[in-house]
Amino acid sequence: GRMKRLRRHGHESQRDRLKQELFQFNKTVEHGFPHQPSALGYSPSLQLLAIGTRSGAIKLYGAPGVEFMGLHDENAAVTQVHFLPRQVELVTLLDDNSLHMWTLRVSPFVDLSLPLQVNIEADVLSHSFLPLVYPYTPVSSSVPNDYIGRRNLEHVEALQENPVNPNQVVIGYGRGLMVIWDLKKRCAVQHIPATQQLESVWWTEDGSYILSSHSDGSYCRWMVGEEDMNEEEEKSDIPYGHFPCKAISKIVQLSTKEGPPFLVFSGGMPRASYGDRHCITVIHGKTHVALDFTSRIIDFFVIREDPSALVVLVEEELVAIDLQTEGWPVIQAPYLVPLHSSAITCSHHISVIPLKLWERIIAAGHLQNTHYSKKPWPITGGQNLAPDPPQRDLLLTGHEDGTVHFWDASGVCLYPLYKLSTAGVFHTDADPNDNMNQGTEGEWPPFRKVGCFDPYSDDPRLGIQKIHLCKYSGYLTVAGTAGQILVLELNDEAAEQTVEAKVVDLLQGQEGFRWKGHTQLDVREEPVLFPPGFQPFALVQCQPPAVVTALTLHSEWKLVAFGTSHGFGVYDYQQKNSVLIKCTLNPSDQLAMEGPLSRVKSIKKSLRQSFRRIRRSRVSLRKHHANNAAKAELAEMELAPVQRKIEARSSDDSFTGLVRMLYFADTFLSDSSHHTPSLWAGTNGGCVFAYMLRFPPVEHRADEPVTAHPAKEIQLMHRAPVVGIVVLDGRGTPLPEPLEVAHDLARSPDMQGSHHLLVISEEQFKVFTLPKVSAKMKLKLTAVDGSRVRRVGVAWFGSSRSEDYGENGLLVLTNQGDVHVVSLPAVKMQVHYPCIRREDVSGIASCVFTKHGQGFYLISPSEFERFSLSTRHLVEPRCLVEPPPQSGTSTQHRPRPAYRYAHSEMLFYYGSYYILTVFMRLSSLPRNASQDGGHDAGKVFFRGL
């Protein structure tokens, strides 16, 4: 016995060592656009962009692939971000009045030494660090007589340094008064007596003028001189005036090498007619454009180099405008792309795309992007040290407006390649005259729509619920909210064709059911011109027109299988004919007849409220999570099982007939010597149906029918929903994908030994022998903590030590948000890690696994978190930011310490090249109590670069 124990122990430690070579969990990068951005910063010397969010995250971006992320302890909004001049440091101000200094540490090691303590002298505007202005400053002692005693300065609204004399700053007060203050002499040099409520100031580059913008939609130009000026010298302009206008919140004027300067300002629109527009106006000589954005403007900056680009952060996207090309086109962004330009409803990942298909998708995408500028992305800071991705991967996202977006998911930047729209096949409520892009000649204000965020879906029935792409044949199938299934083929030329609908009645004449949900979409009878790219050539319309819940395509057999809450079917897209229709509806399944769109509004609302609660009680420090209410329909299907009890369910549960899983396999169904094509379907009620498929001889494939014959039916004892079906060949390897063997990318399955069927339900993994379908072994998920399998995928894990060793495994996500790897064919738990917070229902519902052990899930409506369970397949930023060469100025001189800090700590590090540390934290800003202790501290400003 002792010998046996020792041997087993030796084996276990060897297995543990192997596990460490195969599996490790990392959250690697956040793709998409930060949820609820609240502040923007830019460093011309580092060429880095910084975005702060309402949940206290801070993100830095440079050249594509250069990304950093950090998170403040405080769950408070970032209100300002400022880079320190010519240093790899930045300061953030939160709306709880705390100040934080961050530094980018460049080191291949985790540097745990305490960062420098930086102290800010608060009662003096000391320019050796950065001027910091509190609501009431010593400056008020030099206010002209007619302001004294009226306490009507309000707090400091604006602060700007003189670009040609760093000893001078202009301080602007809320009521309009501006004071030019000399930092060395500590006295006022000039008073500028503006009378309107002040919004912002700008000091022109030659130092000769100050521009001020005001709450009444006006801006003024003031000459900088030694003397105080009279009010007559004020040159005031209300660009959109005559009628009352909204405030101009920020104004910038930049000179050009030759020709007139650029004037850029946000706001100022006529209140009554265009008060709801989000505009930035650009004026250059005779060219005057009001850029009209689809969400609220947060901030903007202009990149110099004889102004080359205007970069605008709005609530839902980041837009860069090329100011050097005629027409000022938008520059396509390599990152921060709004994934949610229409709400995401599903996603699908395909690994290792063949080069030919990749090039054809890119070519189709190029034709769609001719309106973009030819100029490269203008933010180029840092160096991307990551090697080129080893393979080409696609992530496809389906959206509420019936579009499918194709993303390059090979590297750190999730880059848009191509967009497919399915709406053209149907008549929708969209009014063709509704195109807001066309500004009419001579229209005032001269609007131009910019940005791609467009949350308003023409018709929610268009929403894409399932996607399946065959990377070898270029066939694609997408299915939607109103029971529509489209089969598409990649075509490099535009083509005009009629798409005829094949109606499939899934109720199969069952009595007593009346569909109470939405109607089907109307198909256009006339031919439609489809642009180059994926073009629909076949359409299946399910009756009732319920959400499609399962979909798969077999490109060798030219078949598509689809399922809803009422049943499933198989469609032959070569002959455009039905092969099989099976009703799975239980006589008591009345709920399945209601249709989700009737209840979407209330569900979206309740999801949103629970997400707000989650954000307030944010548990996780390392990541900011704010969640998504985009997947309303899907969430509805996903929510139902969450509330189920653990005991066996009675068959009168609602949605028992809902089809969760469809799987084509060439395997042994009748006897162990003849394998045959088959279809497997799994339902919400724990039922598995298997059908044998018979094909005519090759030469008659086009005219003789394919037939389907019922072969097996398995009812799981616990009636738990079936979430996965996999057939393992004689070697215990999952069957290859269609055409994979033909393309020499997988070895032929072993058809000598016996096959096994693995059925994964929400509660257990069960292995059956084929063709007998007798139970062989099972692995139960613990019923104690109510763990349920939510998502499952087959993945290949390569060893980090030896290039040629690897194992197949099952990736599993539970309703607790844990991810597990289960070995194949032995079905043993290997590793598990906490990944998504269990309250994050929609994050869990949105998760998609890749074939190489990675995954994506939505952490907000606009961001995917990417993670990996594999040691070999990791996509994470690897980059370097070095401080720019120092010019002659002494930036090292620091003022004397005035305050101690509550704590300074290491906050976050990422990849292997850089560390982000929180530098210091001021618990609160000192106030000048004698003035007005209870007053809100107004704004804090730092000198720009």
Side-chain angles (χ1 to χ4, degrees):
R2 184 158 179 269
M3 202 53 223
K4 204 165 157 193
R5 259 205 322 276
L6 281 174
R7 197 161 58 242
R8 192 181 307 135
H9 180 74
H11 174 74
E12 277 171 14
S13 61
Q14 186 186 341
R15 181 64 202 161
D16 286 341
R17 215 168 32 245
L18 196 52
K19 278 187 199 175
Q20 288 175 356
E21 291 169 21
L22 295 169
F23 314 116
Q24 75 180 34
F25 178 72
N26 286 291
K27 290 190 179 179
T28 53
V29 65
E30 290 179 8
H31 295 301
F33 184 79
H35 186 55
Q36 299 186 317
S38 52
L40 176 69
Y42 176 63
S43 163
S45 59
L46 296 174
Q47 298 208 317
L48 290 181
L49 162 84
I51 292 179
T53 74
R54 296 228 287 262
S55 59
I58 180 98
K59 297 187 158 196
L60 268 61
Y61 299 88
V66 176
E67 298 188 7
F68 299 88
M69 198 202 115
L71 184 66
H72 294 86
D73 287 2
E74 293 75 7
N75 192 0
V78 180
T79 54
Q80 295 186 43
V81 183
H82 296 275
F83 284 89
L84 266 60
R86 311 196 68 76
Q87 292 175 53
V88 284
E89 290 171 352
L90 60 120
V91 179
T92 53
L93 173 70
L94 305 190
D95 69 356
D96 65 359
N97 271 353
S98 62
L99 272 173
H100 304 255
M101 179 139 159
W102 299 75
T103 184
L104 280 165
R105 282 287 167 100
V106 181
S107 156
F109 307 107
V110 179
D111 184 354
L112 292 173
S113 62
L114 272 181
L116 285 171
Q117 290 232 321
V118 175
N119 299 288
I120 293 170
E121 192 171 26
D123 58 343
V124 173
L125 290 168
S126 155
H127 105 274
S128 55
F129 181 42
L130 49 158
L132 192 59
V133 176
Y134 297 100
Y136 301 98
T137 62
V139 175
S140 51
S141 60
S142 66
V143 167
N145 291 341
D146 51 341
Y147 281 87
I148 284 178
R150 300 214 312 239
R151 270 196 68 201
N152 63 356
L153 287 176
E154 295 190 358
H155 43 247
V156 173
E157 276 296 337
L159 178 73
Q160 281 270 326
E161 194 180 69
N162 184 339
V164 296
N165 175 2
N167 289 325
Q168 283 186 358
V169 290
V170 60
I171 299 160
Y173 292 93
R175 278 289 164 91
L177 173 76
M178 288 167 280
V179 176
I180 297 181
W181 181 260
D182 191 298
L183 294 162
K184 270 206 171 141
K185 300 179 189 151
R186 301 215 175 162
C187 67
V189 181
Q190 183 180 348
H191 295 96
I192 300 173
T195 51
Q196 281 294 337
Q197 182 91 31
L198 184 73
E199 292 285 325
S200 77
V201 300
W202 179 261
W203 207 321
T204 60
E205 294 153 295
D206 59 4
S208 60
Y209 287 95
I210 285 171
L211 272 65
S212 59
S213 76
H214 302 274
S215 62
D216 64 345
S218 69
Y219 69 89
C220 309
R221 194 179 298 268
W222 311 86
M223 200 164 191
V224 175
E226 292 306 306
E227 302 301 311
D228 281 0
M229 44 176 58
N230 309 318
E231 297 192 16
E232 296 82 76
E233 293 179 50
E234 179 178 351
K235 284 199 171 55
S236 179
D237 188 358
I238 303 184
Y240 297 109
H242 293 325
F243 296 108
C245 290
K246 296 190 82 168
I248 292 181
S249 53
K250 179 172 178 174
I251 191 160
V252 168
Q253 180 181 302
L254 292 168
S255 58
T256 53
K257 289 194 186 79
E258 53 235 29
F262 273 88
L263 183 69
V264 183
F265 60 85
S266 55
M269 284 292 130
R271 195 174 282 280
S273 22
Y274 301 113
D276 56 345
R277 298 283 183 108
H278 312 288
C279 289
I280 288 185
T281 298
V282 184
I283 302 173
H284 178 239
K286 290 200 164 55
T287 314
H288 179 143
V289 172
L291 300 167
D292 187 5
F293 294 88
T294 57
S295 58
R296 198 171 56 85
I297 292 160
I298 285 154
D299 201 356
F300 69 88
F301 61 85
V302 180
I303 295 179
R304 287 301 286 123
E305 325 315 311
D306 197 33
S308 61
L310 164 66
V311 179
V312 184
L313 177 67
V314 294
E315 201 147 39
E316 306 291 355
E317 58 188 317
L318 180 85
V319 180
I321 303 224
D322 171 3
L323 296 176
Q324 295 187 331
T325 302
E326 198 169 341
W328 297 340
V330 170
I331 303 171
Q332 184 152 19
Y335 44 67
L336 288 167
V337 182
L339 305 176
H340 63 316
S341 51
S342 165
I344 293 177
T345 43
C346 67
S347 36
H348 175 66
H349 184 277
I350 313 104
S351 304
V352 198
I353 304 292
L355 182 61
K356 184 82 186 113
L357 178 70
W358 188 259
E359 287 172 341
R360 292 176 68 194
I361 291 170
I362 286 177
H366 276 319
L367 295 171
Q368 298 176 330
N369 290 339
T370 50
H371 57 290
Y372 283 114
S373 164
K374 303 280 186 286
K375 288 263 174 26
W377 184 243
I379 295 159
T380 56
Q383 300 161 39
N384 180 9
L385 305 176
D388 283 341
Q391 60 194 43
R392 293 170 294 273
D393 287 358
L394 273 177
L395 180 69
L396 273 52
T397 52
H399 297 260
E400 196 176 34
D401 63 358
T403 57
V404 177
H405 293 237
F406 286 62
W407 305 91
D408 178 351
S410 325
V412 167
C413 295
L414 194 65
Y415 191 75
L417 296 179
Y418 163 76
K419 176 172 124 181
L420 159 70
S421 176
T422 63
V425 177
F426 307 99
H427 288 288
T428 59
D429 309 336
D431 179 2
N433 305 328
D434 207 18
N435 191 349
M436 305 204 299
N437 291 331
Q438 289 344 100
T440 48
E441 231 0 84
E443 179 196 25
W444 189 259
F447 289 121
R448 185 183 130 209
K449 258 297 183 233
V450 275
C452 58
F453 177 71
D454 180 13
Y456 307 106
S457 171
D458 295 332
D459 188 330
R461 295 175 299 172
L462 287 167
I464 305 289
Q465 296 294 341
K466 294 285 167 192
I467 304 170
H468 194 289
L469 170 68
C470 170
K471 63 187 180 186
Y472 304 111
S473 63
Y475 281 110
L476 168 70
T477 179
V478 298
T481 303
Q484 72 273 30
I485 297 113
L486 283 164
V487 191
L488 308 97
E489 195 173 10
L490 186 54
N491 185 356
D492 305 326
E493 306 294 325
E496 190 171 43
Q497 55 207 44
T498 312
V499 184
E500 281 172 54
K502 172 75 182 170
V503 177
V504 170
D505 178 14
L506 287 169
L507 294 182
Q508 289 292 285
Q510 285 228 20
E511 293 298 313
F513 285 116
R514 198 173 64 78
W515 174 247
K516 301 186 190 69
H518 49 268
T519 56
Q520 66 179 62
L521 286 155
D522 296 329
V523 182
R524 292 183 188 272
E525 276 93 56
E526 72 278 10
V528 178
L529 180 67
F530 295 104
F534 285 92
Q535 298 170 346
F537 65 89
L539 167 61
V540 177
Q541 177 60 57
C542 296
Q543 286 301 352
V547 167
V548 176
T549 55
L551 182 72
T552 187
L553 173 140
H554 199 295
S555 45
E556 269 175 71
W557 303 342
K558 304 275 198 289
L559 298 181
V560 166
F562 52 90
T564 71
S565 45
H566 309 130
F568 59 92
V570 174
Y571 174 78
D572 174 349
Y573 62 80
Q574 182 171 356
Q575 293 186 22
K576 299 194 178 177
N577 218 343
S578 295
V579 172
L580 161 69
I581 303 169
K582 164 76 176 167
C583 180
T584 54
L585 197 63
N586 187 292
S588 59
D589 260 4
Q590 278 301 336
L591 252 184
M593 300 307 290
E594 295 206 346
L597 286 177
S598 53
R599 301 209 299 277
V600 160
K601 287 292 171 282
S602 60
I603 278 194
K604 273 194 172 172
K605 195 172 163 191
S606 60
L607 280 177
R608 265 196 204 108
Q609 281 161 351
S610 60
F611 295 145
R612 287 206 184 103
R613 277 199 300 280
I614 290 165
R615 206 156 50 237
R616 279 203 292 272
S617 64
R618 190 186 53 168
V619 194
S620 152
L621 165 75
R622 302 213 102 180
K623 296 273 166 179
H624 66 117
H625 288 284
N627 284 284
N628 130 43
K631 308 190 56 151
E633 283 94 273
L634 208 146
E636 167 151 283
M637 296 302 179
E638 294 281 339
L639 284 171
V642 176
Q643 299 122 5
R644 291 180 306 93
K645 294 195 190 70
I646 290 161
E647 311 90 69
R649 277 155 224 101
S650 64
S651 59
D652 61 15
D653 249 343
S654 59
F655 288 118
T656 51
L658 187 141
V659 179
R660 291 285 288 266
M661 185 69 211
L662 289 162
Y663 178 75
F664 283 117
D666 186 351
T667 189
F668 299 91
L669 264 184
S670 51
D671 59 66
S672 47
S673 48
H674 301 91
H675 55 93
T676 160
S678 63
L679 172 77
W680 299 77
T683 72
N684 229 16
C687 200
V688 177
F689 301 94
Y691 281 79
M692 200 180 289
L693 301 170
R694 293 215 179 101
F695 288 86
V698 176
E699 61 274 16
H700 293 294
R701 174 63 182 89
D703 41 49
E704 286 182 22
V706 178
T707 57
H709 310 273
K712 307 279 181 197
E713 195 172 317
I714 308 167
Q715 175 64 61
L716 300 178
M717 288 192 10
H718 282 281
R719 301 185 183 277
V722 176
V723 293
I725 298 173
V726 182
V727 171
L728 306 170
D729 74 2
R731 289 187 290 264
T733 306
L735 294 184
E737 288 177 41
L739 295 171
E740 198 171 11
V741 176
H743 283 73
D744 289 334
L745 286 154
R747 63 174 172 167
S748 296
D750 181 344
M751 292 304 201
Q752 305 319 157
S754 58
H755 284 192
H756 286 101
L757 170 72
L758 168 58
V759 175
I760 301 129
S761 77
E762 286 198 346
E763 290 169 19
Q764 60 184 11
F765 304 78
K766 206 160 184 182
V767 180
F768 300 88
T769 59
L770 287 175
K772 281 202 194 64
V773 193
S774 52
K776 186 179 175 187
M777 56 181 167
K778 63 183 177 189
L779 168 68
K780 278 185 93 114
L781 230 79
T782 63
V784 184
D785 63 355
S787 231
R788 298 263 174 275
V789 176
R790 275 282 172 269
R791 281 277 177 279
V792 64
V794 174
W796 171 256
F797 291 91
S799 158
S800 57
R801 285 196 53 189
S802 81
E803 193 57 41
D804 46 9
Y805 182 76
E807 295 178 7
N808 281 303
L810 281 178
L811 290 167
V812 179
L813 170 73
T814 72
N815 62 341
Q816 309 286 311
D818 299 330
V819 285
H820 301 255
V821 179
V822 175
S823 65
L824 290 175
V827 195
K828 286 196 164 59
M829 278 291 181
Q830 297 301 303
V831 285
H832 70 272
Y833 309 94
C835 179
I836 310 175
R837 285 193 343 284
R838 72 179 67 181
E839 306 90 340
D840 185 356
V841 176
S842 77
I844 292 169
S846 67
C847 183
V848 54
F849 290 126
T850 82
K851 292 273 195 297
H852 290 91
Q854 297 189 58
F856 298 82
Y857 66 93
L858 289 169
I859 51 173
S860 79
S862 56
E863 298 165 281
F864 277 112
E865 172 75 69
R866 185 180 189 129
F867 62 91
S868 177
L869 290 151
S870 163
T871 54
R872 199 188 282 180
H873 285 269
L874 267 180
V875 171
E876 60 180 357
R878 295 192 180 177
C879 48
L880 183 65
V881 171
E882 293 180 291
Q886 294 292 342
S887 57
T889 59
S890 157
T891 49
Q892 299 314 310
H893 174 65
R894 310 261 184 204
R896 68 178 193 278
Y899 296 96
R900 281 267 159 267
Y901 305 112
H903 64 279
S904 64
E905 67 179 81
M906 167 92 196
L907 193 68
F908 204 85
Y909 86 97
Y910 212 127
S912 50
Y913 283 97
Y914 33 80
I915 295 167
L916 220 44
T917 48
V918 104
F919 218 100
M920 60 85 180
R921 172 183 175 281
L922 274 172
S923 48
S924 67
L925 299 180
R927 295 210 178 97
N928 189 330
S930 61
Q931 294 276 357
D932 182 358
H935 200 288
D936 158 32
K939 299 183 183 176
V940 175
F941 289 86
F942 305 108
R943 185 170 90 231
L945 278 174

